[in-house]
Amino acid sequence: KEVPVIVEPQGEVPNDMAIESITLDHNLITIYAAETTLTKINELVITFDAASLTGDKKFVKGITYPSNVNAVNITSINMDVKLGEKVSKVIENVPINYRNYSNNFKISTDESTSFYANVTVYGTQTNIDKITMADLNVYVDFAGYGAGKHDIPIYVEQNPSALVSFATDKTSIQMTLTDEKASEHDETVGG
């Protein structure tokens, strides 16, 4: 099976620089394994330490394969990493989505609370210019929260292969969860 190679830089590039581009000598790798293994592998992720970059760099990175892969056509990849000046832009009023929300709860907040966040995008000018609101997933995760008043963290989904990073203007949102079963006459559904 041929699978794409996905590069995910780890950490921040120092000196107000950001990764402009990553070029690989192989973007696809052929792996050989049992059919049950192949159906579970859709990509191979390679990571490297972005904090160690002080300028453009070419290097070889070995590829780690799952133990049940029998053979591969490539065992290492040549990378060419180019840096550029780190800049930022703000995308305003990005809707905050819900994860693990149960319809058993009604959500309420005080009137000043907004279900939107401003997101700052960091990267090189070329890479941040590609980012639009449609590329952003800002969310709160209700997993583990029950009835009551909670300060729930706000997350923004990161896509390391986009070569940008995101930060929201607020880190949490205060919400009150009310058990709908306890007040079934109220038909308001939060969200």
Side-chain angles (χ1 to χ4, degrees), residues 32-165:
Y32 302 89
E35 189 66 34
T36 54
T37 298
L38 292 178
T39 58
K40 296 176 187 172
I41 302 173
N42 296 315
E43 62 189 23
L44 289 171
V45 177
I46 297 175
T47 62
F48 70 91
D49 182 12
S52 68
L53 296 175
T54 55
D56 294 352
K57 185 175 181 180
K58 291 182 181 186
F59 58 98
V60 178
K61 184 77 176 163
I63 301 170
T64 304
Y65 294 96
S67 60
N68 41 5
V69 169
N70 300 328
V72 295
N73 68 334
I74 295 166
T75 57
S76 63
I77 288 210
N78 292 303
M79 287 187 179
D80 185 2
V81 180
K82 302 276 188 219
L83 299 184
E85 181 183 350
K86 183 178 185 177
V87 295
S88 64
K89 78 172 178 181
V90 176
I91 299 176
E92 296 182 341
N93 297 318
V94 178
I96 298 172
N97 299 309
Y98 300 163
R99 285 193 181 169
N100 299 307
Y101 172 68
S102 166
N103 286 331
N104 295 334
F105 290 107
K106 174 186 159 199
I107 300 171
S108 58
T109 63
D110 67 43
E111 291 178 15
S112 66
T113 300
S114 164
F115 287 97
Y116 296 89
N118 297 330
V119 177
T120 304
V121 184
Y122 299 94
T124 64
Q125 192 68 56
T126 302
N127 290 325
I128 67 169
D129 284 348
K130 296 175 189 173
I131 303 296
T132 66
M133 190 179 298
D135 299 309
L136 301 174
N137 182 16
V138 178
Y139 65 93
V140 292
D141 190 341
F142 288 104
Y145 290 96
K149 191 173 193 174
H150 305 285
D151 206 25
I152 301 177
I154 296 173
Y155 301 98
V156 60
E157 196 165 70
Q158 303 288 330
N159 176 358
S161 62
L163 303 179
V164 295
S165 61

